[in-house]
Amino acid sequence: FKSKNEYYPSLWLNQGKTGSPLANKNARLAVTSCIDRVNFVKVRAKGESVVAKSLVGPSSVMYTTRGFSKFSPKAARDFLAAYKAETGATSLTLSIPADSSSASQANAKFLINQWAKCGITVNMVVEETAVIIAKAFNPTVPFAQQQAYDILPLLLFEGADVAFNLPFVATNMFPAGSTNPVAGTFRGVLGGLLNLNKHLDANVDAAFFAGQAATTKAAAKAKYQEGTAYLQTNGFMTSIQHGYYTLFTTKKLGGIGTLQLPEGKTQRLITNWGIDWTGVYKK
C-alpha cells in the first residue's frame, strides 16, 4: 500500500514581537527575496524535495504563485534600503531558531549566509525542539509576545484542502461572533495562539473566511487563492521546499487508508502529527 500527503514547510515572519523589524513590509520582503530555493533544495535537501513556488503545492486549493517572492539579491537589497529609509534603521538584525541536530543547524546556517550577502544579519538561536515549540506557542504571555523568534522555520501547512492550514494564518481561529460552540472557551486561550506571524490584518481573515462560507468549490478556491496571494505579496511568510509523506506496508494488514469520515471522505493516513492506524487490522 502506498499513500502520499503533501507537506509545505514555511518560514513564519513574526510581526508582533516587541520592536520587531518585521512589522515593516519592506523588511519582510527583503527576507523573502533573499532565499536561493533552488540551491537549498540541491544542497540541503539533496534534491529530494520540490522547489517552492507558492506557500502550498499545486494540489492545494490555496495554490497560487501570485506575489510569491522570487530569489533576487538586488530586489532584497532594494527592499532593505526602503526599510531603512522608512524607519531610520541602520541595519536589519533578526533571530532564527535551530534545534540541537546538525541538520537543523546546517539548514539555518545556509539561510543565514544567504541573508548576509543581502545585508541582513540573522542570528541562530540553538535550543532543544521542545523549548523552541514552547517559545513559539506560549499562552502565558500577551498575544504579541507568544512567538519568541523573528523567523520561525516550521512545518504546519499540508494537504490539498484548507481546514488544517487556516488556524495558522487567521488573526484568530474563532472570529468575533463565531457560532462555534467552543469559541467562548477557546477564543482568548487558543484562538490567536496559532497565528505565528502575529499579524492583525483583517484582509487575511476576510479572504479565508469567505472561502469557508462560499457555496461553490470555484468560489471557495478563488477566495483561498486570494488569501494566499495576500500573504505572499505582503511577505507575511514564505516557503522554500515542498515534499510528501509516503507509507509502504505489508499486504498482511487491511483497512489502511480506508477509514470513512462523516462527509464521505477518507481520513488522511499520514500527517505531520503521525500515522492514523484507526481501523487497521491483521488479515
Side-chain angles (χ1 to χ4, degrees):
F1 181 88
K2 184 177 180 180
S3 174
K4 289 185 179 180
N5 181 40
E6 293 183 347
Y7 60 82
Y8 318 113
S10 301
L11 293 180
W12 306 79
L13 306 188
N14 187 352
Q15 301 178 37
K17 182 181 172 185
T18 300
S20 174
L22 297 177
N24 182 276
K25 177 180 176 179
N26 282 312
R28 298 193 300 271
L29 292 176
V31 170
T32 61
S33 298
C34 192
I35 301 174
D36 187 348
R37 297 168 180 82
V38 172
N39 267 331
F40 187 96
V41 168
K42 179 180 179 181
V43 176
R44 295 303 312 143
K46 308 300 182 184
E48 294 294 330
S49 60
V50 177
V51 176
K53 297 179 181 179
S54 170
L55 291 176
V56 294
S59 67
S60 171
V61 70
M62 291 171 54
Y63 179 79
T64 179
T65 60
R66 297 197 309 273
F68 189 77
S69 295
K70 296 180 180 179
F71 176 50
S72 172
K74 180 183 182 305
R77 286 190 286 268
D78 288 345
F79 285 127
L80 178 60
Y83 158 70
K84 291 179 178 178
E86 288 178 359
T87 64
T90 58
S91 63
L92 177 56
T93 302
L94 305 165
S95 65
I96 187 171
D99 64 32
S100 56
S101 70
S102 59
S104 177
Q105 293 178 39
N107 288 343
K109 189 64 176 176
F110 184 97
L111 295 172
I112 288 170
N113 289 340
Q114 283 193 342
W115 285 319
K117 294 177 181 178
C118 297
I120 302 168
T121 300
V122 180
N123 298 311
M124 187 191 313
V125 180
V126 179
E127 296 177 306
E128 294 295 332
T129 301
V131 174
I132 293 173
I133 296 301
K135 287 186 175 181
F137 301 95
N138 183 2
T140 66
V141 294
F143 166 79
Q145 308 308 315
Q146 289 172 348
Q147 215 271 75
Y149 309 101
D150 294 311
I151 305 172
L152 179 66
L154 195 62
L155 169 58
L156 290 173
F157 278 6
E158 66 175 43
D161 58 26
V162 74
F164 184 76
N165 303 337
L166 176 62
F168 303 107
V169 297
T171 57
N172 195 305
M173 63 183 294
F174 301 106
S178 172
T179 58
N180 190 310
V182 301
T185 302
F186 291 110
R187 176 173 169 77
V189 178
L190 184 62
L193 185 67
L194 304 183
N195 172 6
L196 291 175
N197 296 317
K198 295 304 168 190
H199 73 88
L200 295 172
D201 197 323
N203 292 314
V204 177
D205 293 355
F208 283 100
F209 290 145
Q212 281 196 314
T215 57
T216 67
K217 290 183 178 180
K221 183 176 182 179
K223 284 298 181 181
Y224 291 144
Q225 290 179 341
E226 178 185 320
T228 301
Y230 190 88
L231 292 171
Q232 295 173 167
T233 300
N234 289 279
F236 279 39
M237 56 197 299
T238 193
S239 188
I240 301 175
Q241 59 176 332
H242 296 160
Y244 58 84
Y245 308 103
T246 300
L247 176 68
F248 296 88
T249 72
T250 173
K251 293 182 178 179
K252 295 180 181 179
L253 295 178
I256 299 173
T258 62
L259 178 65
Q260 291 288 316
L261 299 175
E263 61 269 29
K265 298 180 180 180
T266 55
Q267 172 66 304
R268 294 178 190 170
L269 181 59
I270 311 173
T271 59
N272 64 19
W273 61 86
I275 300 173
D276 182 11
W277 295 109
T278 308
V280 176
Y281 62 91
K282 184 176 181 180
K283 293 182 179 179

